[in-house]
């Protein structure tokens, strides 16, 4: 597929998106170089490389598929890119609603235009959430890298593709354990893949048909090893749903503590505090993540 442009919304914050995808500095599956993202994916069971090049008013995209057996659906690629970039997220409503909030107003103003970067597919979001349960971001990134390499689908560019359900289903609990995952996480990943392949967890169909978050949450909650945090994170990163309560996220609670100037805040207290900001709780969490990250970077710069 030749390079094609997509116009960006006014004030689009490309750096947020690039930072999200550039967290693994070993760059085995995706790599950020300046204003360019290269990300290896699986498309119609073939290795593919998606390249996004950002400029002030547009993003140029291209897709290189190895030994393609199907013609690339250009409209589907555009929809995938727009979904990943969060084009449909109604962020202006959130910013207007809390512009004068005594705790949030300054933070939101300084981070105006912030959108939530979304994964290439709901399956990627769910498996990433399972991998990241109850561990630090650094540990989760390391396990994710090994998980991707374990599936062993490599694009001709050298990048390893994030695995599809079919590829994950071929892995073993033993192999996943060697990649650093717990027995519980390994079993959950294999079960999720099995359900997707059997058509019992139609994650892509839910996205296409805009199925309600309640339906998706109920289906995910029935799977052993998937709890409220994993569900909210999957809805956020997989579907762009902005009202999941991420009170179970340690970084969110640290940011709330800082805003409220308190020593401690429990998960229950964080949940109650976030309730007041429905239907924007997950978008607020994204602001809190960014605020805390920027504050940490500034503190390190001063040191």
């Amino acid at each position: 597929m030749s390079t094609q442009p997509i116009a960006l919304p006014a004030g689009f914050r490309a750096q947020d998106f690039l930072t999200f995808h550039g967290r693994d500095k070993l760059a085995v599956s995706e790599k950020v170089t300046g204003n360019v993202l290269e990300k290896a994916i699986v498309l119609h069971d073939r290795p593919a490389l998606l390249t996004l090049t950002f400029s002030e008013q547009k993003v140029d995209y291209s897709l290189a598929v190895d030994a393609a057996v199907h013609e690339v659906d250009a409209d589907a690629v555009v929809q995938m890119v727009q979904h990943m970039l969060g084009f449909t997220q109604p962020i202006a409503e959130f910013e207007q609603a809390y512009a004068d909030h005594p705790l949030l107003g300054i933070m939101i103003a300084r981070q105006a235009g912030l959108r939530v970067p979304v994964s290439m597919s709901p399956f990627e979001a769910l498996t990433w959430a399972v991998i990241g349960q109850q561990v630090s971001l650094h540990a989760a990134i390391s396990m994710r890298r090994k998980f991707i390499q374990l599936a062993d689908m490599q694009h001709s560019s050298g990048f390893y593709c994030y695995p599809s359900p079919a590829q994950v289903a071929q892995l073993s609990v033993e192999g996943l354990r060697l990649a650093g995952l717990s027995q519980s996480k390994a079993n959950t990943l294999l079960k999720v893949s099995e359900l997707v392949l059997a058509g019992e967890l139609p994650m892509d169909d839910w996205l296409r048909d805009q199925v309600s978050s309640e339906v998706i949450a109920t289906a995910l909650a029935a799977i052993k090893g998937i709890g409220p945090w994993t569900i909210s994170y999957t809805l956020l990163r997989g579907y762009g749903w902005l009202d999941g309560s991420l009170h179970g996220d340690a970084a969110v609670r640290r940011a709330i503590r800082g805003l409220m100037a308190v020593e401690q805040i429990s998960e229950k207290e964080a949940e109650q505090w976030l309730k007041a900001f429905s239907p924007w709780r997950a978008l607020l969490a994204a602001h809190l993540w960014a605020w805390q990250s920027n504050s940490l970077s500034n503190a390190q710069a001063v040191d």
Side-chain angles (χ1 to χ4, degrees), residues 4-271:
Q4 300 291 331
I6 300 176
L8 292 171
F12 184 83
R13 294 163 52 108
Q15 192 56 52
D16 293 341
F17 179 82
L18 294 169
T19 298
F20 174 72
H21 285 281
R23 292 183 294 182
D24 187 351
K25 302 309 178 186
L26 296 187
V28 301
S29 181
E30 55 258 306
K31 181 180 181 180
V32 172
T33 307
N35 64 334
V36 179
L37 167 67
E38 297 171 287
K39 179 176 175 63
I41 63 175
V42 177
L43 188 70
H44 302 308
D45 298 321
R46 306 303 304 167
L49 184 69
L50 176 67
T51 302
L52 302 178
T53 304
F54 292 88
S55 56
E56 186 173 347
Q57 296 181 330
K58 65 184 176 72
V59 56
D60 294 315
Y61 70 92
S62 64
L63 189 68
V65 184
D66 285 349
V69 294
H70 297 279
E71 184 175 348
V72 174
D73 184 338
D75 290 338
V77 175
V78 170
Q79 291 173 9
M80 177 180 69
V81 172
Q82 291 177 332
H83 178 65
M84 291 173 67
L85 298 179
F87 275 17
T88 61
Q89 296 172 17
I91 59 172
E93 295 177 33
F94 168 76
E95 293 175 4
Q96 292 167 6
Y98 297 106
D100 298 322
H101 191 278
L103 291 179
L104 305 181
I106 293 176
M107 177 184 73
I108 292 171
R110 291 181 180 176
Q111 298 177 165
L114 187 146
R115 298 170 188 269
V116 178
V118 179
S119 298
M120 187 277 294
S121 70
F123 179 76
E124 179 178 353
L126 175 55
T127 49
W128 173 223
V130 170
I131 291 169
Q133 292 170 348
Q134 300 297 316
V135 296
S136 69
L137 179 59
H138 177 78
I141 289 171
S142 175
M143 285 189 285
R144 177 181 182 269
R145 181 193 314 127
K146 294 173 183 176
F147 167 69
I148 293 170
Q149 291 175 309
L150 183 66
D152 197 27
M153 177 173 277
Q154 199 167 12
H155 184 262
S156 56
S157 62
F159 289 108
Y160 286 87
C161 302
Y162 197 95
S164 67
Q167 291 169 313
V168 176
Q170 295 174 11
L171 303 178
S172 67
V173 170
E174 293 75 20
L176 290 166
R177 295 282 285 123
L178 289 174
L181 280 78
S182 66
Q183 180 93 13
S184 174
K185 289 182 181 181
N187 286 330
T188 300
L189 290 173
L190 294 176
K191 184 62 176 179
V192 164
S193 302
E194 174 189 319
L195 292 171
V196 172
L197 292 175
E200 297 177 37
L201 199 68
M203 301 187 74
D204 290 337
D205 292 347
W206 290 338
L207 177 61
R208 183 196 62 219
D209 299 338
Q210 298 184 335
V211 170
S212 73
S213 59
E214 290 82 5
V215 169
I216 298 172
T218 298
L220 293 178
I223 302 170
K224 185 177 180 180
I226 295 180
W229 180 87
T230 302
I231 292 170
S232 290
Y233 192 89
T234 300
L235 287 168
L236 176 64
R237 296 293 192 193
Y239 296 92
W241 188 59
L242 300 179
D243 194 32
S245 181
L246 290 160
H247 55 276
D249 189 283
V252 169
R253 293 199 304 276
R254 283 196 299 270
I256 294 173
R257 279 205 322 261
L259 279 177
M260 298 179 67
V262 296
E263 289 293 325
Q264 295 292 334
I265 184 168
S266 67
E267 284 194 27
K268 192 66 177 178
E269 289 168 334
E271 181 180 18

